[in-house]
């Protein structure tokens, strides 16, 4: 990283800040490597305490197994639709759509017809209108 940044700076394409940044990145990576080495030594010491010298010496650095082949995309997509989290999201979406539908129904005007029957007290004084 540092040599690439220096070469770009020497050719006039890069900036001095890029060279300094590359040096800082390298220093940070070295510091992270030192932290990892220190953690490994501490864990190995714990392993010796728990298992003893012989068994701990047999425990070498472990590597990850080779990655297995992926299933076909169609199979993965089908399994995704049956995943519990996906089914939960779909139920939540349906519930939200239902609440939106109910809210839209509440906006519609309501009609009411009131018919009442009652008895009035008093007399009906309606005089005939002359024609």
């Amino acid at each position: 990283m540092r040599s690439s940044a220096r070469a770009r700076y020497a050719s006039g394409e890069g900036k001095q800040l890029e060279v300094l940044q590359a040096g800082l990145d390298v220093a940070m990576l070295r510091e992270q490597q030192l932290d990892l080495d220190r953690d490994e030594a501490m864990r190995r010491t714990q392993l010796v305490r728990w298992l003893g010298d012989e068994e701990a010496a047999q425990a070498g650095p472990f590597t990850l197994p080779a990655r297995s082949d992926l299933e076909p995309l169609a199979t993965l997509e089908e399994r995704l639709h049956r995943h519990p989290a996906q089914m939960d999201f779909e139920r939540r979406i349906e519930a939200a759509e239902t609440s939106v539908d109910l809210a839209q129904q509440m906006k519609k005007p309501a009609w009411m017809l009131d018919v009442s029957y009652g008895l009035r007290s008093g007399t009906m004084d309606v005089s005939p209108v002359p024609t």
Side-chain angles (χ1 to χ4, degrees):
M1 288 172 50
R2 203 174 344 177
S3 62
S4 172
R6 282 182 183 166
R8 286 177 42 95
Y9 180 68
S11 68
E13 293 180 11
K15 298 179 181 177
Q16 186 177 12
L17 182 62
E18 292 174 1
V19 175
L20 294 173
Q21 183 66 40
L24 180 63
D25 289 344
V26 169
M28 289 177 64
L29 288 173
R30 283 186 187 151
E31 186 177 334
Q32 286 179 356
Q33 184 63 44
L34 289 173
D35 289 342
L36 290 173
D37 291 343
R38 186 185 67 241
D39 288 347
E40 179 186 9
M42 186 174 62
R43 302 289 183 235
R44 286 203 178 273
T45 304
Q46 288 177 346
L47 192 61
V48 167
R49 243 185 275 151
W50 292 336
L51 299 179
D53 290 333
E54 295 174 8
E55 287 83 8
Q58 292 175 358
F62 298 103
T63 59
L64 294 174
R67 195 167 78 183
S68 62
D69 293 333
L70 291 176
E71 296 180 31
L73 184 60
T75 306
L76 293 174
E77 286 177 345
E78 179 195 344
R79 284 179 37 199
L80 179 65
H81 290 296
R82 290 184 285 130
H83 193 276
Q86 179 67 25
M87 293 171 66
D88 181 49
F89 285 135
E90 289 176 5
R91 284 191 205 107
R92 288 182 184 188
I93 290 171
E94 290 172 4
E97 288 173 348
T98 302
S99 65
V100 167
D101 290 341
L102 288 174
Q104 287 177 345
Q105 292 295 327
M106 295 297 289
K107 285 183 180 179
K108 291 183 179 178
W111 291 94
M112 184 174 85
L113 179 62
D114 186 17
V115 178
S116 52
Y117 176 79
L119 182 63
R120 290 188 179 180
S121 62
T123 60
M124 190 166 164
D125 292 334
V126 179
S127 53
V129 179
T131 57

